Amino acid sequence: MAAAAAVGRARRGARLSAAALLALLALALLALTAGRGGGGGGSGSGGGSGVGQLGSAPLPLPPGLREELRQRRRDLRRLEAVAGGGEAAAGGLGCGDLSLVTGVSVLGWGFTKVVARAALAGGGAVALKSVHGAGREVRQCVQRYGAPAGCRRLAAYKLLKEVTLLQRLRHPGIVQLHGQCYDNSGDPEIRVTAMLELGSPLEMIQLLQTPWEERFKICLSLVKLLFYLAHSPLGSIVLLDFQPRQFVMVDGNLKVTDMDDASTEELSCKEDNDCTLDFPTKSFPLKCSAVGKCEGINEKKNLFNAYRYFFTYLLPHSAPLALRPFLSDILNATGDLQYGINETLKAFEKVLHLYKSGLYLQKRPLLLKEDYKCWPSYSHLGCLLSVHSAEEAAAICNSQSQCQSFIITQQRTWTGELGIMSSSPWIRVQLACG
């Protein structure tokens, strides 16, 4: 029934491409097959990935593909061995839950996987991830080897790796794994579905239009995530495919959702010349450690990517005047990798302290001379801005010729700032403008 409903929606969705329809069919059919018991299918209760079961049957595959499969299987087992020392996060959903989902609709797809939204029988919704059989990774593999089932199996190992990481890594900046289903009942493809916390895609254009305080929150959340990854229970983790599209927003919070290209391995080296960190516009020489690893390369790669994809766009624009020198220091230090993640987190926490405490207000006169614009606002219906105190609200209102009065609201932002509002854009005060 879930499959029929999903296919019906796809037929009615005129804007869905043929690839999306195929992906939707695959997910819906998987939901049905999972409910039949699935032979070796896992319950998704938070145990291991079941890799020992997945590689048991010899397959008549080309030698090159067999070698790639062996390598990915070894990599997964190595990761499971490293992850085995910690406690796995309990994922309560399994194949039985997957067979009962309804309202399946494709959210998007990428190189390896397709993601769909589905409603759970008991209420709530999850994101379903599975191998994208028509994705570029599978297509390129089929072109090389001519073995579709083996190529889908190869892609499935990336999803199994992601599930293994999500079972062990727990942080507010990492999307939560709710469960998983493995179905390898005699089928060489290994059907795998991960059931994840549902988020909305990160839209940078929309973020640029939000108040500075919200943009600072996004950057601070990212820094806290990178600090965790640098000191994770599995060692230093690098996000090899670090792009805004790998993140989602969940209840206003930034979370990384794509971990299949994450790595716990640091680059091996024999000398410092082996440790150059290259980006399209910059290169950074690093040191080769006594144990033959490039020192801090994972941490620094994450940090520079955060600088070029997030900090440069979200931090400077419309920041409070007195905080701009501190933000400029952060941008310069991360852009040149003078800071590591520890120093970066301390710098962000200093800015947060100055902002929350109102100490930054001591560096400017009460009657502001800045050209405060009524944009961006927390509300499109009027001027809704955040301030530290009524005095700051008065200063902002006095600095704008069109502002005649303001109202302190009961709303507070994530930092505890007061709200003011006006009938034309700016503060969490209600500014009444003439």
Side-chain angles (χ1 to χ4, degrees):
M1 189 168 181
V7 175
R9 282 184 191 84
R11 287 174 176 165
R12 292 193 298 271
R15 290 183 293 179
L16 277 180
S17 69
L21 180 57
L22 287 172
L24 181 56
L25 265 168
L27 281 168
L29 289 173
L30 177 55
L32 287 180
T33 57
R36 295 177 190 147
S43 68
S45 61
S49 69
V51 66
Q53 302 160 343
L54 301 179
S56 55
L59 298 173
L61 297 173
L65 180 54
R66 284 204 306 271
E67 179 55 35
E68 286 197 51
L69 283 166
R70 277 195 294 267
Q71 182 61 50
R72 287 202 180 174
R73 191 157 52 244
R74 281 196 302 268
D75 291 345
L76 182 60
R77 283 173 172 159
R78 187 181 304 118
L79 177 61
E80 287 186 320
V82 172
E87 181 185 354
L93 300 178
C95 296
D97 301 285
L98 182 61
S99 68
L100 299 175
V101 300
T102 57
V104 180
S105 59
V106 171
L107 297 175
W109 56 89
F111 190 79
T112 304
K113 295 166 295 187
V114 61
V115 183
R117 183 189 191 280
L120 295 171
V126 292
L128 303 179
K129 271 191 186 182
S130 66
V131 171
H132 187 3
R136 193 189 307 175
E137 176 166 357
V138 173
R139 291 201 317 269
Q140 290 177 352
C141 174
V142 172
Q143 288 171 1
R144 291 196 307 272
Y145 300 119
C151 287
R152 287 190 287 271
R153 185 183 186 90
L154 185 68
Y157 276 108
K158 292 188 74 173
L159 184 52
L160 288 169
K161 172 188 174 182
E162 184 169 24
V163 167
T164 301
L165 284 169
L166 292 176
Q167 284 175 333
R168 299 293 175 176
L169 299 177
R170 305 185 204 177
H171 187 269
I174 300 176
V175 75
Q176 184 179 351
L177 177 71
H178 289 314
Q180 61 273 345
C181 174
Y182 309 105
D183 178 16
N184 62 318
S185 50
D187 192 328
E189 292 184 24
I190 317 174
R191 292 189 179 92
V192 184
T193 301
M195 290 164 272
L196 307 168
E197 186 176 22
L198 184 65
S200 57
L202 184 68
E203 299 288 350
M204 291 298 287
I205 300 253
Q206 291 180 9
L207 274 182
L208 289 170
Q209 300 174 45
T210 60
W212 176 83
E213 185 177 341
E214 294 302 311
R215 286 181 273 118
F216 178 75
K217 176 187 176 183
I218 295 293
C219 292
L220 177 60
S221 298
L222 180 57
V223 170
K224 288 180 176 179
L225 168 64
L226 298 189
F227 179 85
Y228 174 79
L229 293 179
H231 306 284
S232 87
L234 307 183
S236 181
I237 296 175
V238 62
L239 303 177
L240 295 174
D241 188 17
F242 195 120
Q243 300 274 352
R245 65 172 177 264
Q246 309 294 353
F247 294 83
V248 295
M249 298 297 293
V250 180
D251 297 327
N253 297 305
L254 181 75
K255 300 197 177 203
V256 64
T257 187
D258 204 333
M259 297 287 289
D260 64 346
D261 286 314
S263 174
T264 59
E265 295 291 316
E266 291 202 294
L267 186 64
S268 298
C269 58
K270 294 182 178 177
E271 56 184 27
D272 290 351
N273 288 338
D274 298 330
C275 295
T276 301
L277 183 54
D278 290 315
F279 293 94
T281 58
K282 282 190 175 183
S283 294
F284 301 96
L286 303 179
K287 296 288 185 181
C288 182
S289 72
V291 295
K293 297 290 183 180
C294 295
E295 288 183 1
I297 193 168
N298 289 352
E299 171 188 330
K300 291 183 182 296
K301 187 167 188 175
N302 284 341
L303 187 55
F304 188 79
N305 278 326
Y307 160 80
R308 66 180 181 136
Y309 288 119
F310 287 86
F311 300 167
T312 55
Y313 299 106
L314 301 182
L315 276 183
H317 174 62
S318 70
L321 181 64
L323 295 180
R324 291 178 191 176
F326 299 98
L327 298 173
S328 180
D329 288 345
I330 289 174
L331 288 169
N332 291 334
T334 54
D336 291 333
L337 287 185
Q338 298 168 13
Y339 282 177
I341 191 59
N342 295 359
E343 295 85 356
T344 303
L345 180 57
K346 287 178 183 177
F348 267 85
E349 288 176 337
K350 179 178 181 179
V351 172
L352 178 63
H353 171 68
L354 291 172
Y355 187 67
K356 289 181 70 173
S357 65
L359 291 174
Y360 72 100
L361 297 173
Q362 297 173 7
K363 295 193 175 184
R364 66 184 184 189
L366 181 62
L367 298 181
L368 303 176
K369 302 299 182 183
E370 284 183 84
D371 182 18
Y372 276 90
K373 297 180 181 179
C374 281
W375 182 90
S377 169
Y378 277 92
S379 171
H380 67 281
L381 300 176
C383 182
L384 182 60
L385 307 172
S386 61
V387 294
H388 183 264
S389 64
E391 288 77 13
E392 186 183 8
I396 293 174
C397 189
N398 284 334
S399 71
Q400 301 187 50
S401 58
Q402 72 271 31
C403 181
Q404 295 183 348
S405 64
F406 62 87
I407 302 168
I408 301 288
T409 71
Q410 297 302 310
Q411 295 174 279
R412 288 186 178 269
T413 66
W414 67 277
T415 59
E417 298 289 278
L418 296 170
I420 65 172
M421 182 142 187
S422 101
S423 54
S424 88
W426 241 91
I427 340 185
R428 257 183 206 198
V429 174
Q430 222 145 355
L431 296 178
C433 303

